Amino acid sequence: GDSVTQMEGPVTLSEEACLTINCTYTATGYPSLFWYVQYPGEGLQLLLKATKADDKGSNKGFEATYRKETTSFHLEKGSVQVSDSAVYFCALSGSAGGTSYGKLTFGQGTILTVHP
Amino acid sequence: DVKVTQSSRYLVKRTGEKVFLECVQDMDHENMFWYRQDPGLGLRLIYFSYDVKMKEKGDIPEGYSVSREKKERFSLILESASTNQTSMYLCASSPAGGRDYGYTFGSGTRLTVV
């Protein structure tokens, strides 16, 4: 079945450092890919998404590119802020065909802490 | 602003109680989902529903049931709460054919069973 593997955390960075959180997936066909962010005590919010190969999703300075050849969707940001401290989840939505009801398969989550 | 609203942010219940967690969405979405989130285990799907009165088991349905009598409301029921059901519960919704949409999540209910 479908699966998502995320970089183990936690990740600790200083403000203005570069961020990469790795995400690779296993799926049949052509899934859609997502990054969600969860701030302390909150639910998950959609950060960005890509629905086909070579698409780049971007939001709030974060970017991720759908790489079918390496089955990856790594999250990147050039300069992190303290306010970016959160848990980040990579997810995929089942490929076309079959009855998936848009169910998402999530990675384990990566905790990011940014220090001033 | 579109929303998924969970009725309680924090709940404390006693072992053996019947517990209802309520979720309401105002986006006219067909699909609704209940997950629990535990440290080190990520998000695990309990149940989902793709239409009124329809439900499907997720990965960990044991000890839970659900009800969807109206399109906008999806309730999670703990028939007899146990301490191992202490967790963060997250509700989400998506439109039919929502493969490219992803989910909209509620803010979560942190349930403690004592």
Side-chain angles (χ1 to χ4, degrees), chain A residues 11-35:
Chain A
V11 175
T12 302
L13 295 173
S14 297
E15 205 165 26
E16 299 184 4
C18 295
L19 169 70
T20 300
I21 300 177
N22 290 337
C23 171
T24 57
Y25 68 89
T26 302
T28 54
Y30 304 94
S32 293
L33 301 173
F34 305 85
W35 277 101

Side-chain angles (χ1 to χ4, degrees), chain A residues 39-101:
Chain A
Y39 299 104
E42 299 291 328
L44 279 69
Q45 303 173 25
L46 178 64
L47 180 59
L48 53 84
K49 67 180 180 182
T51 59
K52 60 183 187 295
D54 300 325
D55 266 3
K56 178 186 283 188
S58 62
N59 187 25
K60 299 182 180 180
F62 292 89
E63 293 183 338
T65 301
Y66 188 160
R67 303 279 189 205
K68 185 163 175 59
E69 63 276 12
T70 55
T71 62
S72 65
F73 192 54
H74 304 323
L75 182 68
E76 299 176 325
K77 188 175 186 184
S79 176
V80 294
Q81 306 300 313
V82 172
S83 58
D84 294 327
S85 298
V87 184
Y88 292 82
F89 292 90
C90 185
L92 70 82
S93 181
S95 50
T99 307
S100 67
Y101 303 112

Side-chain angles (χ1 to χ4, degrees), chain B residues 6-93:
Chain B
Q6 294 184 232
S7 53
S8 305
R9 292 297 299 272
Y10 300 94
L11 274 179
V12 179
K13 296 293 182 180
R14 295 194 180 279
T15 301
E17 275 194 77
K18 190 168 186 176
V19 180
F20 293 85
L21 302 183
E22 306 288 346
C23 176
V24 177
Q25 50 97 1
D26 65 0
M27 296 165 285
D28 202 36
H29 283 172
E30 285 74 18
N31 303 323
M32 296 187 76
F33 306 84
W34 275 107
Y35 285 83
R36 63 177 284 177
Q37 182 181 14
D38 301 287
L41 297 176
L43 279 76
R44 293 180 290 169
L45 181 64
I46 305 171
Y47 268 98
F48 69 100
S49 168
Y50 54 90
D51 201 352
V52 175
K53 297 192 185 294
M54 305 304 290
K55 61 185 179 184
E56 294 280 344
K57 292 180 179 179
D59 301 318
I60 52 163
E62 297 78 18
Y64 303 94
S65 63
V66 290
S67 172
R68 192 159 180 209
E69 297 296 318
K70 294 185 178 181
K71 188 176 185 180
E72 67 270 20
R73 185 180 296 271
F74 191 37
S75 303
L76 180 69
I77 303 157
L78 285 66
E79 298 290 344
S80 177
S82 64
T83 55
N84 62 13
Q85 293 177 310
T86 292
S87 186
M88 169 74 108
Y89 289 87
L90 294 166
C91 177
S93 72

Side-chain angles (χ1 to χ4, degrees), chain A residues 30 32 36 38 41 49 104, chain B residues 9 31 37 99-100 103 105:
Chain A
Y30 304 94
S32 293
Y36 281 83
Q38 184 180 33
K49 67 180 180 182
L104 293 182
Chain B
R9 292 297 299 272
N31 303 323
Q37 182 181 14
R99 178 178 163 274
D100 294 343
Y103 294 167
F105 279 90

